[in-house]
């Protein structure tokens, strides 16, 4: 949003600081996210393809699966050092059950978030990406 304001009011905005959000100038032609990722222009957005295609929403249903997903997103690895996710691939669904617990948040906090996501599943999170990309 800040980047759009800078385009609309270039005399008003002097600087923009943005983290992990590449600037894309307005274009008359729509380029699908899959084309952008697979072309190598933004391979680090590969994980967003997984959010868009419904794979996560279909695979992660139970509270325990949500808890495992959160562990993966917190950067936890398996006992053999394999990551639970990376930016180019997304979530490694086949590894989730082998992830250790995160040390970044307490068990109670992780359980709280798993409980909250379990109410409606990942539909809200994935649905946003499905509508926008």
């Amino acid at each position: 949003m800040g980047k759009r304001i800078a385009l609309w009011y270039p005399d008003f905005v002097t600087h923009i600081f943005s983290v992990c959000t590449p600037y894309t100038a307005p274009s008359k032609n729509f380029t699908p996210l899959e084309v952008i990722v697979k072309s190598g222009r933004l391979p680090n957005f590969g994980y967003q393809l997984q959010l868009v295609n419904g794979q996560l929403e279909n695979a992660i249903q139970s509270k325990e699966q949500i808890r495992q997903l959160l562990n993966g997103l917190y950067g936890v690895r398996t006992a053999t050092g394999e990551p639970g996710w990376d930016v180019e691939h997304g979530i490694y669904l086949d590894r989730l059950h082998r992830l250790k617990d995160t040390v970044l948040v307490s068990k109670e906090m992780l359980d709280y978030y798993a409980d909250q996501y379990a109410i409606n599943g990942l539909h809200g999170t994935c649905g946003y990406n499905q509508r926008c990309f």
Side-chain angles (χ1 to χ4, degrees):
M1 188 164 108
K3 293 173 186 172
R4 297 290 183 212
I5 292 171
L7 288 172
W8 297 330
Y9 304 101
D11 296 333
F12 181 72
V13 178
T14 60
H15 297 79
I16 292 181
F17 180 82
S18 179
V19 177
C20 195
T21 310
Y23 174 74
T24 303
S27 172
K28 293 182 183 204
N29 301 319
F30 173 75
T31 306
L33 178 63
E34 186 171 16
V35 171
I36 294 170
V37 171
K38 297 206 182 214
S39 73
R41 196 167 89 203
L42 286 174
N44 55 314
F45 274 31
Y47 72 95
Q48 290 189 12
L49 293 175
Q50 196 178 43
L51 295 174
V52 172
N53 70 18
Q55 181 185 19
L56 279 183
E57 194 174 351
N58 293 330
I60 307 292
Q61 298 284 325
S62 71
K63 178 182 168 185
E64 182 56 29
Q65 289 170 324
I66 292 169
R67 193 173 194 289
Q68 292 168 341
L69 171 69
L70 292 171
N71 272 319
L73 293 174
Y74 276 116
V76 174
R77 295 178 172 266
T78 66
T80 58
E82 298 170 298
W85 86 288
D86 67 44
V87 295
E88 292 185 8
H89 173 82
I91 299 294
Y92 291 99
L93 294 169
D94 59 328
R95 298 178 189 169
L96 288 182
H97 68 284
R98 296 186 289 134
L99 296 177
K100 300 180 272 180
D101 285 337
T102 182
V103 297
L104 298 177
V105 297
S106 67
K107 179 186 180 317
E108 293 78 23
M109 182 161 292
L110 195 65
D111 286 341
Y112 171 80
Y113 281 108
D115 286 340
Q116 296 306 304
Y117 269 107
I119 294 170
N120 294 310
L122 298 178
H123 179 70
T125 302
C126 294
Y128 172 81
N129 286 283
Q130 291 164 357
R131 288 187 304 278
C132 293
F133 296 111

